[in-house]
Amino acid sequence: MAKLKWGMIGGGEGSQIGPAHRLGAGLDGLFEFNAGALDHRPDDGRDYGRRLGLSPDRSYGDWRDMLEGEKGRDDRVDLVTVATPNATHFEITKAFLENGFHVLCEKPMTMTVEEGEDIVRLSEKTGRICAVNYGYTGYSLVRHMKAMVARGDLGRVRLVVAEFAHGHHADAADMDNPRVRWRYDPAQAGVSAQFADCGIHALHMASFVIGQNAERLSADTVSCIESRTLEDDAMVNLRFDGGTVGRLWTSSIAIGRQHGLTLQVFGEKGGLRWAQEEPNQLYWMPLGERLQIIERGEANLSPEADRSTRVTIGHAEGMPLAFANIYSDLAEAIRAAKDGRDMDPAADLYPRAEDGLRSMAAVFAVAESGKRNGEWVDARPPLFR
Ligand code: NAI
């Protein structure tokens, strides 16, 4: 089977997320890296693309040149990943969807709810896939949690507790550090800093696992470092549309926490606990029984978990392999779209534009509720009310 053709915008040399995408897309041999506009400095981007093996005519200096160059080719890329800074996502994603490319966009998908709605409508109108990289839902045991909830192992889910709290912006001296300062500046970051950067991962994972969307929320947002305009810590109470109660804590001043993404799900018949820094174990306690540790790769896991794992039990699988699961799901979806086939529902797990839009609505709801001393507000985008 011929490989699908893949291109990337952003993710240049030294970027944080570029390498994980290249590892993820390349891992299963489903995609070939054919084109890129990797850096905001055209010469650096062209040079790095060539060093990564792109042909000189497809290592572009600017994403607009890449769009022009690729749309005229018979062998144009099938999928474009957008891994540039947040404020550019909407414009680039829109332009590539309009020209018939499938897109995987980094989070947050857009800067406003209205832009998010535009992308959802455009993806529907063009029939092109717009996925959003909530890549941590690619972990095998996160998918197993989702399967356990769906098949009723927990009974009705009463409570979900999600955290994404790290300590990497805890130094007040960072006020002068340009790499940190912009994140808390509304002119550059929008209405939210920490919730928009990390909180949306935790919220998306909670929604993905319990199969429900946030309906209402109340937020306490604070700038623990007082010179910051936007929040560096938030505690959010939620109500999901299936009746589950949600608690979400996100922080960038939690010294000693590293990545700090965790999920706990409590139902009538049992509780689950998973932490991204130890992703190969899932803690499961059925009501009235002993605590069990479910290992990634063990026998009799769900089909969703089995299709998302590659290395045998006892050897750690980590974040680039979780991203690889998003890419392999997307490869299946793109092949189905090319052949005019319906998707295999078991493979239909990747996060999409609707998820990106719901996140944006939650970001604005958190900012609004935070300003109004935690008043409960609607967390849904107008399109889905
Ligand atoms: P970064 O600042 O480390 O790298 C950004 C890269 O994009 C650089 O190589 C830069 O030269 C390039 N770039 C900037 N403007 C460009 C343009 N107009 N055209 C082409 N290239 C351009 O940023 P980082 O941390 O890699 O974040 C990028 C995106 O990925 C952000 O939206 C961020 O929220 C998201 N992200 C997602 C994560 C996830 O787990 N899904 C984790 C980390 C970041």
Side-chain angles (χ1 to χ4, degrees):
M1 195 162 52
K3 290 186 181 189
L4 293 169
K5 295 177 176 29
W6 177 60
M8 187 173 195
I9 300 166
E13 191 161 28
S15 67
Q16 191 184 173
I17 207 64
H21 279 283
R22 286 186 286 275
L23 287 167
L27 195 78
D28 296 311
L30 299 168
F31 290 96
E32 189 178 2
F33 185 31
N34 293 110
L38 302 177
D39 204 292
H40 66 286
R41 294 156 302 199
D43 288 343
D44 291 3
R46 275 191 286 260
D47 174 58
Y48 189 49
R50 282 181 214 144
R51 278 189 279 132
L52 290 173
L54 295 180
S55 65
D57 62 324
R58 296 179 87 180
S59 185
Y60 300 90
D62 185 283
W63 67 265
R64 292 176 191 82
D65 296 340
M66 176 167 154
L67 179 61
E68 284 310 308
E70 291 299 310
K71 76 181 190 195
R73 298 182 70 105
D74 292 339
D75 61 347
R76 67 193 225 159
V77 287
D78 297 291
L79 174 70
V80 176
T81 292
V82 180
T84 50
N86 303 356
T88 61
H89 293 174
F90 173 65
E91 186 187 16
I92 301 174
T93 297
K94 182 167 181 276
F96 277 86
L97 286 174
E98 278 169 342
N99 283 283
F101 295 87
H102 301 292
V103 176
L104 169 59
C105 182
E106 260 307 340
K107 47 55 63 176
M109 182 175 81
T110 59
M111 296 293 283
T112 69
V113 177
E114 293 72 23
E115 288 170 352
E117 294 193 338
D118 280 358
I119 296 291
V120 167
R121 289 199 190 96
L122 189 58
S123 170
E124 267 170 28
K125 187 174 138 203
T126 56
R128 300 292 91 177
I129 294 164
C130 179
V132 182
N133 191 36
Y134 291 110
Y136 308 117
T137 56
Y139 280 101
S140 174
L141 289 179
V142 173
R143 293 178 168 197
H144 188 63
M145 279 196 278
K146 181 180 177 67
M148 287 178 74
V149 170
R151 73 189 182 202
D153 293 7
L154 283 79
R156 188 176 71 80
V157 177
R158 293 168 170 156
L159 176 66
V160 61
V161 181
E163 294 181 357
F164 196 156
H166 65 80
H168 299 299
H169 302 156
D171 188 350
D174 271 344
M175 197 178 126
D176 298 321
N177 177 346
R179 293 200 65 187
V180 177
R181 197 177 48 210
W182 73 266
R183 297 169 183 276
Y184 299 92
D185 172 8
Q188 296 178 74
V191 297
S192 160
Q194 181 57 19
F195 186 79
D197 192 32
C198 295
I200 57 174
H201 272 299
L203 177 56
H204 178 265
M205 186 177 285
S207 294
F208 176 81
V209 166
I210 67 173
Q212 299 177 35
N213 294 306
E215 202 167 59
R216 293 180 297 129
L217 64 79
S218 154
D220 181 15
T221 55
V222 286
S223 306
C224 292
I225 295 182
E226 286 164 9
S227 56
R228 290 175 175 160
T229 310
L230 297 176
E231 87 289 353
D232 52 23
D233 188 281
M235 183 63 88
V236 185
N237 282 309
L238 297 132
R239 296 292 183 274
F240 288 87
D241 54 11
T244 294
V245 172
R247 315 276 185 215
L248 189 156
W249 174 47
T250 188
S251 187
S252 65
I253 55 91
I255 298 175
R257 300 268 302 223
Q258 296 304 328
H259 202 241
L261 175 60
T262 68
L263 192 76
Q264 299 177 82
V265 188
F266 304 105
E268 297 167 314
K269 299 196 288 185
L272 286 169
R273 174 162 57 90
W274 180 85
Q276 195 234 337
E277 289 174 32
E278 293 168 16
N280 297 287
Q281 287 80 34
L282 171 63
Y283 292 82
W284 163 233
M285 173 112 178
L287 179 68
E289 293 181 34
R290 299 186 71 164
L291 182 64
Q292 299 169 20
I293 302 176
I294 297 172
E295 288 280 340
R296 183 204 53 75
E298 71 182 32
N300 303 318
L301 293 185
S302 56
E304 291 85 344
D306 287 345
R307 62 170 267 130
S308 308
T309 189
R310 297 166 186 78
V311 181
T312 48
I313 188 168
H315 302 286
E317 279 189 5
M319 180 256 231
L321 279 78
F323 281 23
N325 290 328
I326 306 292
Y327 278 97
S328 65
D329 292 346
L330 275 172
E332 210 161 312
I334 292 168
R335 284 197 191 287
K338 273 178 174 253
D339 302 347
R341 278 186 288 114
D342 284 338
M343 267 287 284
D344 169 5
D348 201 11
L349 289 167
Y350 66 89
R352 55 203 70 211
E354 287 79 358
D355 299 298
L357 168 59
R358 286 187 193 281
S359 299
M360 227 41 234
V363 165
F364 276 77
V366 163
E368 187 189 339
S369 173
K371 260 192 251 153
R372 295 206 243 143
N373 288 324
E375 199 176 295
W376 283 85
V377 296
D378 201 319
R380 298 166 301 173
L383 195 63
F384 299 148
R385 284 184 193 170

